[in-house]
Amino acid sequence: MVRSPTYPKARRALIERRTLDLTLAALPFTDRQSPARRTAVFAELKQALAHGRDEIKRRFLAGGASGIETARAMAYLTDQLIRVLYDDTTLRVYQTPNPTQAERLAVVAVGGYGRGEMAPFSDVDLLFLLPYKQTPVGEQIVEYMLYMLWDLGLKVGHATRSVEECLRMARQDQTIRTALLESRYVWGDQALYSDLKRRFAAEVVTGTALDFVEAKLGERDARHERMGDSRYVLEPNIKEGKGALRDLHTLYWIAKYAYQVDDVAALPLRGVLTTAEANKFAKAEAFFWTIRCHLHYLAGRAEERLTFDVQRELAAAMGYTDHAGTRGVERFMKHYFLVAKDVGDLTRIFCAALEAEQKRKPKASALHRWFGTKKHEKDGFIVEGNRLSIGQKEAFLADPVNLIRLFWEADRTGFDIHPTALRLVTQNLKLIDAKLRDHPDANRLFLEMLASRNEPEQALRRMNEAGVLGRFVPDFGRVVAQMQYDMYHVFTVDEHTLFAIGILAAIEKGQLKDEAPLATALFPTLVSRRALYVAVLLHDIAKGRGGDHSVLGEQVAYKLCPRLGLTAEETETVAWLVRQHLAMSNTAFRRDLQDPKTLQDFVDLVQSPERLKLLLILTVADIRAVGPKVWNNWKAGLLRELYTLAEAKLTAEPVEGVSPLERRLQAQHTEMRKLLDDWAEADFNAHIALGSPSYWLSADPAILARNARMIRRAMLDGAPLSVETRVDAKRGVTDVTIYTGDHPGVFARIAGALAVAGANIVDARIFTLSNSMVLDSFTVQDQDGGAFDRPDKLARLAVLIEQSLSGRLKSLADLKTQRSGPARTQVFTVPPRVLVHNSASATSTVVEINGRDRPGLLHDLGSTITKQNLQIGAAKITTYGEKVVDVFYVKDIFGLKLERPSKVEELRRALLAVLDTVAPPEPKATRPAARSRAKLAAE
């Protein structure tokens, strides 16, 4: 990060300042303040700016300049333009060839422009520096220059201050202090700027290094929190995100302030960084600047977020290609996350060096986490300022198990780990070899950390940040920074896994009893607690290998668990949990839980109450760790229902002469009768005769009783249509119940009305009663995954359903033209797939449809199924970001399964035609020059 002015290659091909100045001087105007002359000057400057920008862009896109060279070229172009404008303004427009002492003026660059780095559409931050108060002529010069720059389309941030004002405000405001720290002389009175620079160092910087460092680290932490506090979010901010450019800037500011260096490359001479670490800094900066310049050019504006829609195009432009089962965009993003991790390592190392140079008592300030003096021994480690450190640099070489023991001891004692110790760890990673991986003590310590009752997530996260975890468990190393390229997952695979470990520990401690009460209640009853922690660590460990990650992960478990010291029984349990870690969510979210075959298949898979408990808790931790808003009350309710049904079936005692189905029916009817105790016996029996056993087992007695009263009112009133809604805040859903005449396409029409109303259907059940009426029950949510509960929307819902069933709803056609989600999500390809199962249910054919979600899709699918002369008995709808999985339970007009292969294939083709099959265009083929750019960034 070079801070002195750096001239770009062939700089006069960008802009020729002297020629441009002569051109302005030769303009044939006697009145140099006339609007006509200003217009002519503007035209010349605009042409020069456009030419320079075009040449800089051409060099970058042709591979002749790296991102950092492009940023420096942009700053050089801006410098030259401002110099020409300043000279023209002061020598011709407002002639001040010999300014008085009060009229002296210097133009100073601050911010990124002050560092000599500008992205293609960055702001231009200027300080107009005065010796004293502003003078009339000075005000005219500044105003003329600013309006000209604004008219040229530059986004100029500016301040006009005297030297004294700058110093006074710098003492009071850290932002202004930082701006002056990285200021740079551009043009004008250089002696004036030199005076500011000298006095700033003497009167502001001297003696305030610790306060400045404290403020900058505090700002960094606050910014990280705003940006999600993870460097592994899948749409990172290249400028403000954790581990990105602003973190490098923070390190530079601290270096410049504390060590008075203008270039990070000088830090090795001060003993702060090694040469290798300084090179890592330079590589990270070059990589980020290449990305940032691409982002600006792709967007045609200042854009700092690596959104999904630009990631593929940017990856292709930088030479990342598909190979070994991994897409180019995933390889690019993995490189990004690894570089961001390097920045985190550099931050930690830098803070360790600061501590060695300038110590402060613990708790004297917010920096007590970094600075401390008191030392004592603790089980072979040094405790310094409440942090563990290493007494001898040879400690790891003498016993490599100490590389694991350090993290184990930190977890056991609750101490943080000293940055110096972590730096020593990273320098000795090569000691983590096959011999250490097979060492019994190392594996015992690791397993104790993983299943710790303290803070296992923190322990593993420290190991991962230091590079230890991926080396000790090489299979985990393969998923470090592994992107999951979809709209469902928010974090990389390793970050998701560590979050899941933390959530598991929180469940065990009772910290999530409100949102996961069943999992919290079950945890103390587990026999295989240790196996569960290992299973969570391994559940996604085989992602990105090109096969079924559950199957491949099972193989990893069989290999790794004995090495860690698990028993044969624990190994079998872990392998089974990894193989089946999606089974419970798939069953709960995609299958009709009231279908006896669904329940029997799930129980046959689980086989024991212990496995059922383990699978439930793992599923909760996995879903909860995917990202914000993924876990909700509706999903919790479905998992709770499946667990309760399966647990009852696993532990139920058989009753002589009474089938389980009959016993459940009797229990439902008995409870219903209590709730309908004001009904005559004949009326109750007549109502029971309306429904089939599947209907009476479809809901709890309270819901069935509520439906009964609705049906009776409709019968008494002779109403052809009845609609009732009930908000269930506990489950986070709204139940919509419709009672109407039976005719083809009822499901599709209601689904269309709900889509027009803005409701997302998550579950649906369709029951045909013996009186030729249908009772359809839909469970819906709003667009944010909560209950659809606004009174105005609920009132409109009933109107839309009535209009749709009568064929008067005009808005249905508009649904097909609506885009499914933000434009940036259109980059994802969701291969359409239709699976037809005749073994998943004893009475129905189960049709599973996978495709891209869009408004009105459920209506179109339902209409297609109806046109195939099929009846829909139930539907389960699950969305995973941009992907939807719709499952329908269907029968033919005779109430039978769809058995004929020709009819099955006809249905499959018809449904595929409905799905959105338009794939986003592939990125253009990578040009050789793009590969050279990637090489430049790497170098």
Side-chain angles (χ1 to χ4, degrees):
M1 199 177 269
V2 178
R3 304 303 158 192
S4 56
T6 304
Y7 294 128
K9 299 172 184 175
R11 63 184 186 273
R12 288 188 172 84
L14 303 181
I15 184 171
E16 176 51 73
R17 180 173 63 86
R18 291 186 178 85
T19 300
L20 180 59
D21 185 62
L22 290 173
T23 300
L24 299 186
L27 289 175
F29 294 94
T30 54
D31 183 359
R32 294 186 175 181
Q33 296 182 11
S34 68
R37 185 183 185 280
R38 185 188 185 281
T39 300
V41 170
F42 169 78
E44 294 293 340
L45 294 178
K46 184 177 182 180
Q47 182 180 1
L49 178 62
H51 168 78
R53 282 176 165 175
D54 289 345
E55 176 61 16
I56 292 170
K57 182 177 181 180
R58 185 196 66 77
R59 293 181 185 183
F60 177 72
L61 295 181
S66 67
I68 191 68
E69 289 172 336
T70 299
R72 290 167 182 163
M74 288 296 304
Y76 172 80
L77 173 65
T78 306
D79 283 354
Q80 297 298 81
L81 194 77
I82 289 174
R83 289 166 181 171
V84 170
L85 176 60
Y86 179 90
D87 285 345
D88 188 65
T89 306
T90 58
L91 298 177
R92 302 181 191 104
V93 181
Y94 301 103
Q95 298 181 18
T96 52
N98 297 300
T100 65
Q101 185 71 13
E103 292 174 340
R104 296 163 63 205
L105 176 67
V107 181
V108 179
V110 294
Y113 179 38
R115 291 190 301 273
E117 302 165 347
M118 289 181 64
F121 294 93
S122 286
D123 295 353
V124 180
D125 294 322
L126 293 176
L127 167 65
F128 292 94
L129 185 63
L130 312 171
Y132 314 115
K133 292 175 62 177
Q134 178 67 284
T135 63
V137 67
E139 187 173 350
Q140 289 177 316
I141 291 170
V142 170
E143 182 178 289
Y144 184 90
M145 290 184 65
L146 283 174
Y147 276 103
M148 183 67 77
L149 293 172
W150 286 330
D151 288 348
L152 288 170
L154 296 174
K155 291 174 286 184
V156 181
H158 67 98
T160 304
R161 297 189 182 114
S162 68
V163 172
E164 284 294 340
E165 287 173 327
C166 288
L167 297 174
R168 186 185 74 250
M169 297 179 74
R171 295 186 193 101
Q172 300 169 350
D173 189 315
Q174 291 288 351
T175 301
I176 294 176
R177 189 181 302 192
T178 305
L180 290 179
L181 177 70
E182 56 184 358
S183 65
R184 179 174 57 85
Y185 168 76
V186 176
W187 215 234
D189 193 318
Q190 190 165 9
L192 186 60
Y193 172 71
S194 297
D195 182 48
L196 171 65
K197 189 175 181 180
R198 176 185 56 78
R199 291 186 61 189
F200 176 76
E203 299 176 25
V204 178
V205 175
T206 301
T208 61
L210 289 179
D211 292 332
F212 181 80
V213 172
E214 179 180 335
K216 289 296 115 181
L217 292 177
E219 288 175 8
R220 182 204 60 179
D221 292 344
R223 172 169 46 80
H224 288 173
E225 188 171 347
R226 287 197 312 272
M227 303 306 294
D229 204 25
S230 172
R231 63 178 61 91
Y232 302 115
V233 291
L234 298 189
E235 291 185 298
N237 188 302
I238 189 70
K239 181 180 178 183
E240 302 288 347
K242 189 172 185 178
L245 268 171
R246 188 64 79 208
D247 280 2
L248 289 178
H249 295 159
T250 300
L251 293 183
Y252 163 67
W253 294 330
I254 293 174
K256 188 174 177 67
Y257 206 97
Y259 297 102
Q260 293 79 51
V261 297
D262 286 329
D263 188 348
V264 171
L267 290 177
L269 299 176
R270 301 292 303 269
V272 181
L273 298 177
T274 65
T275 301
E277 289 161 351
N279 289 340
K280 185 180 288 188
F281 187 107
K283 284 183 178 181
E285 183 189 29
F287 179 72
F288 287 143
W289 269 110
T290 298
I291 294 174
R292 194 177 183 203
C293 289
H294 273 298
L295 273 176
H296 279 224
Y297 284 133
L298 283 171
R301 56 183 169 79
E303 177 57 67
E304 312 300 348
R305 199 156 65 109
L306 266 174
T307 53
F308 290 124
D309 56 325
V310 300
Q311 286 175 9
R312 290 205 312 173
E313 190 171 353
L314 206 155
M318 291 181 66
Y320 293 86
T321 56
D322 299 350
H323 67 72
T326 305
R327 286 177 288 188
V329 64
E330 293 172 343
R331 294 179 56 238
F332 162 62
M333 290 306 297
K334 182 165 186 171
H335 188 184
Y336 173 89
F337 293 128
L338 289 174
V339 172
K341 180 180 176 297
D342 286 343
V343 174
D345 294 340
L346 288 169
T347 301
R348 188 169 57 247
I349 290 166
F350 198 72
C351 288
L354 276 173
E355 175 169 1
E357 181 110 349
Q358 305 179 59
K359 292 191 174 181
R360 209 174 204 179
K361 290 183 180 180
K363 300 183 181 179
S365 74
L367 280 178
H368 71 269
R369 59 182 292 196
W370 300 115
F371 299 108
T373 56
K374 189 176 180 180
K375 295 183 180 181
H376 62 274
E377 294 287 333
K378 180 69 176 176
D379 296 332
F381 296 99
I382 292 176
V383 179
E384 183 177 353
N386 290 330
R387 291 165 302 170
L388 284 176
S389 192
I390 303 296
Q392 300 293 328
K393 288 186 176 182
E394 296 77 20
F396 296 136
L397 192 62
D399 184 3
V401 175
N402 282 329
L403 285 163
I404 308 299
R405 188 175 289 115
L406 173 67
F407 297 94
W408 175 85
E409 185 70 22
D411 177 69
R412 186 180 71 84
T413 60
F415 289 134
D416 200 352
I417 300 177
H418 199 288
T420 302
L422 290 172
R423 184 181 193 179
L424 200 58
V425 167
T426 59
Q427 292 172 350
N428 285 276
L429 288 176
K430 62 182 180 297
L431 296 177
I432 305 176
D433 54 13
K435 184 178 178 181
L436 180 61
R437 285 191 283 269
D438 289 333
H439 198 292
D441 286 347
N443 283 286
R444 174 182 58 80
L445 295 172
F446 177 77
L447 186 57
E448 288 179 10
M449 264 189 295
L450 171 58
S452 167
R453 297 183 187 273
N454 299 318
E455 299 294 339
E457 178 191 0
Q458 184 182 61
L460 295 179
R461 193 174 292 281
R462 285 169 176 161
M463 293 182 72
N464 197 40
E465 289 289 324
V468 173
L469 183 55
R471 283 180 175 261
F472 191 69
V473 184
D475 287 293
F476 190 86
R478 294 179 64 171
V479 298
V480 170
Q482 175 68 48
M483 182 185 186
Q484 303 180 80
Y485 195 61
D486 55 46
M487 284 292 292
Y488 179 62
H489 296 92
V490 176
F491 303 107
T492 56
V493 177
D494 59 324
E495 188 79 348
H496 161 73
T497 300
L498 296 178
F499 275 133
I501 292 287
I503 290 164
L504 185 65
I507 292 172
E508 182 176 17
K509 295 173 184 176
Q511 296 170 350
L512 297 179
K513 61 183 178 181
D514 291 335
E515 57 182 292
L518 179 58
T520 301
L522 292 175
F523 214 114
T525 71
L526 292 179
V527 177
S528 310
R529 173 187 175 277
R530 192 166 69 164
L532 178 58
Y533 273 91
V534 178
V536 172
L537 177 69
L538 303 184
H539 77 283
D540 278 348
I541 202 163
K543 278 196 168 179
R545 300 192 186 188
D548 185 333
H549 77 281
S550 299
V551 176
L552 297 174
E554 178 188 33
Q555 297 169 10
V556 173
Y558 276 122
K559 177 183 68 174
L560 180 63
C561 290
R563 192 200 102 186
L564 294 179
L566 268 65
T567 65
E569 180 183 355
E570 288 176 312
T571 297
E572 183 68 30
T573 299
V574 172
W576 182 86
L577 285 170
V578 173
R579 174 67 179 267
Q580 306 298 342
H581 74 273
L582 297 174
M584 194 164 195
S585 58
N586 284 343
T587 302
F589 305 156
R590 302 186 188 182
R591 292 292 182 264
D592 183 0
L593 299 185
Q594 302 305 323
D595 188 312
K597 184 70 163 53
T598 295
L599 186 59
Q600 188 62 55
D601 289 347
F602 181 70
V603 168
D604 289 345
L605 174 70
V606 175
Q607 297 183 345
S608 78
E610 176 73 3
R611 280 188 172 183
L612 178 63
K613 289 186 284 187
L614 292 168
L615 189 57
L616 181 279
I617 297 171
L618 187 154
T619 303
V620 171
D622 186 16
I623 297 174
R624 178 71 169 66
V626 167
K629 298 185 179 181
V630 174
W631 176 259
N632 55 38
N633 289 339
W634 168 244
K635 290 178 179 176
L638 288 176
L639 291 172
R640 188 183 309 115
E641 181 182 1
L642 176 56
Y643 175 86
T644 303
L645 293 171
E647 194 266 345
K649 195 169 185 65
L650 284 166
T651 59
E653 295 288 336
V655 179
E656 285 282 332
V658 181
S659 70
L661 177 62
E662 291 173 336
R663 192 164 65 251
R664 289 181 62 202
L665 280 172
Q666 289 172 4
Q668 290 284 85
H669 292 164
T670 300
E671 290 301 312
M672 277 185 63
R673 190 70 185 94
K674 293 177 183 177
L675 296 170
L676 298 171
D677 56 358
D678 56 325
W679 283 30
E681 192 68 26
D683 292 338
F684 180 78
N685 291 334
H687 180 74
I688 293 298
L690 290 176
S692 62
S694 63
Y695 171 66
W696 300 122
L697 296 175
S698 67
D700 63 60
I703 293 175
L704 295 173
R706 190 164 54 249
N707 290 347
R709 295 186 185 280
M710 173 187 176
I711 292 170
R712 190 180 189 191
R713 283 195 302 272
M715 286 180 169
L716 292 174
D717 297 342
L721 171 67
S722 294
V723 179
E724 285 194 359
T725 58
R726 187 180 72 91
V727 176
D728 189 335
K730 184 177 180 181
R731 292 189 299 152
V733 297
T734 298
D735 293 318
V736 182
T737 307
I738 301 102
Y739 178 69
T740 189
D742 186 19
H743 56 81
V746 170
F747 172 87
R749 288 181 179 274
I750 296 173
L754 293 172
V756 171
N760 289 330
I761 302 170
V762 294
D763 192 49
R765 297 178 186 277
I766 298 90
F767 300 102
T768 302
L769 306 181
S770 61
N771 60 353
S772 298
M773 300 289 281
V774 292
L775 186 74
D776 291 355
S777 176
F778 290 82
T779 303
V780 302
Q781 293 182 315
D782 62 18
Q783 299 296 325
D784 295 323
F788 191 83
D789 56 2
R790 274 181 45 183
D792 58 326
K793 288 192 172 184
L794 290 173
R796 180 170 177 256
L797 193 61
V799 174
L800 292 172
I801 290 172
E802 189 277 327
Q803 291 178 348
S804 182
L805 289 174
S806 62
R808 296 183 290 110
L809 185 59
K810 305 295 185 184
S811 304
L812 280 175
D814 297 337
L815 288 174
K816 296 181 180 180
T817 64
Q818 294 182 19
R819 172 173 282 173
S820 56
R824 63 189 175 84
T825 69
Q826 303 304 308
V827 68
F828 296 112
T829 301
V830 183
R833 187 172 64 159
V834 176
L835 304 174
V836 181
H837 306 279
N838 269 315
S839 60
S841 170
T843 58
S844 301
T845 294
V846 179
V847 183
E848 181 177 317
I849 302 165
N850 297 254
R852 172 179 284 281
D853 195 15
R854 61 172 171 80
L857 177 62
L858 198 57
H859 165 268
D860 294 346
L861 293 173
S863 296
T864 300
I865 291 172
T866 299
K867 290 174 183 177
Q868 294 289 314
N869 295 318
L870 298 173
Q871 307 171 55
I872 299 172
K876 303 280 283 189
I877 292 86
T878 309
T879 56
Y880 302 91
E882 74 286 354
K883 177 183 177 181
V884 67
V885 179
D886 292 343
V887 178
F888 295 92
Y889 284 69
V890 303
K891 299 177 182 179
D892 64 17
I893 57 176
F894 303 108
L896 302 174
K897 288 185 179 183
L898 194 62
E899 301 279 9
R900 282 171 47 196
S902 60
K903 289 294 293 180
V904 169
E905 182 58 25
E906 183 183 348
L907 173 65
R908 200 182 71 84
R909 286 200 306 268
L911 292 172
L912 283 172
V914 173
L915 297 173
D916 180 12
T917 58
V918 179
E922 291 295 323
K924 296 177 182 178
T926 305
R927 299 175 304 216
R931 286 193 290 273
S932 68
R933 269 200 310 280
K935 184 177 180 182
L936 280 168
E939 292 173 351

